[in-house]
Amino acid sequence: MLSDSERALARAVLIHGPISRSELTSRLGLSPPSLTRLAKPFLDRGLMVELDDRSDGSVGRPVRPLDVRPGLAHFAGVKITGDALHVVATDVRAGLLAYEEHPLQRRDPEGVAAEIARAVRGLGIDRLAGVGVSLGGAVRDGRVEFAPFLDWTDVPLAGLVEAELGVPASIENDLVALAEAERWFGRGAGIPGFVVITIGAGIGYALVVNGQAVHSREAGVGLGGHIPLGGTGPVCHAGHRGCAEAMLTSGSIAAQVTAALQRPVDYDEVLRLAAAGDPAATTVVDEAAAALGRLVAMAANLTLQPAAVLAGEGIGLFSLAEDRVRAAIAADRDPRAEPVRLYVDDSGFSAWARGAATIAIQDAVDRIDLDQVEQELLPTPAP
């Protein structure tokens, strides 16, 4: 397998490429001869390529940036919810090639694995290198320790999916997977530390510190959902008044406006009504936006990471009430503190599935064996 230096080179080119050799030596702390020695087997085996000469603005001969070989491999990512599979095909940088949503027909582990396999095959991915699966719950070493929304305990999901598809399968908590995607290929690329906050059917929270996503069993417990944000807000299912779940989930927001209007409305209609100036919807949306700002400020204050990536299928709230969110953040930050930088991923459920694909890509990098690349990096299974 790759040495630590080889793995660092592979990751740097994958994340930052095309990248010049001079920038690589600076990032990796290598001398030019050491970089040449490390890069040679990747170039010889066709995993990396040198691009055409281009000027970097300095005096001297043009540089030949390094990059991963085009079309090197493709990956699948699957986000499991309580009632659906969100499935993507991506390139080696988690670039979206296809996205589909499939209703979840079964909830037993073997049945879900079979449905994942059918959905992935339906994408028609050529040179499938691996599949990543993410879900809400605690995950360790390819096993789902618990997933309450599926009523699963100690499920060997990676093995079940691998048996169905014949390629390596990677399993991760959905919030950790999303944080990894934002860290490597998304809004957080190049930012050493940030928090990830998601809003939608639930409230999610993940953390990147010193360039590394925090992998913790606690990510699957849903602790971020019960942080108190308003003393007079609605009550969540667990009896907490004004917590993040009560203030920010799409279901709670829709329920509040439904009660005020005395007719059923869903989350999307709430946002449309608020945009049109409906008093009841505007009141609920404004309170939710202020709560989101307080949550962002609290996360930045406690983690000392003055940057946040906002995502999730309910992120339309931010687009509608951005000024109120930012005002609430500023109100809860010390004026001497660095302003919180906000990055918004509004791609919805496909972002979660790209997070799962990113986990598969990361694992594929760790699996590379330069002595066996001639047998193909990760072969496509037989139909």
Side-chain angles (χ1 to χ4, degrees), residues 207-231:
L207 180 63
V208 173
V209 181
N210 293 329
Q212 298 295 320
V214 175
H215 288 244
S216 170
R217 180 179 179 276
E218 299 294 283
V221 179
L223 300 176
H226 297 292
I227 294 174
L229 299 175

Side-chain angles (χ1 to χ4, degrees), residues 258-308:
T258 291
L261 297 180
Q262 295 296 296
R263 67 175 181 84
V265 295
D266 62 15
Y267 182 73
D268 289 338
E269 186 177 359
V270 169
L271 297 185
R272 291 194 297 269
L273 289 169
D278 177 86
T282 298
T283 297
V284 173
V285 165
D286 283 350
E287 287 299 317
L292 177 58
R294 289 194 291 272
L295 181 59
V296 171
M298 186 181 300
N301 291 344
L302 293 177
T303 64
L304 307 181
Q305 308 301 316

Side-chain angles (χ1 to χ4, degrees), residues 324-349:
R324 193 167 181 86
V325 174
R326 292 186 181 276
I329 294 172
D332 283 3
R333 291 279 282 173
D334 190 290
R336 294 166 295 186
E338 183 178 341
V340 176
R341 303 183 303 280
L342 294 181
Y343 305 87
V344 179
D345 186 336
D346 59 2
S347 52
F349 273 113

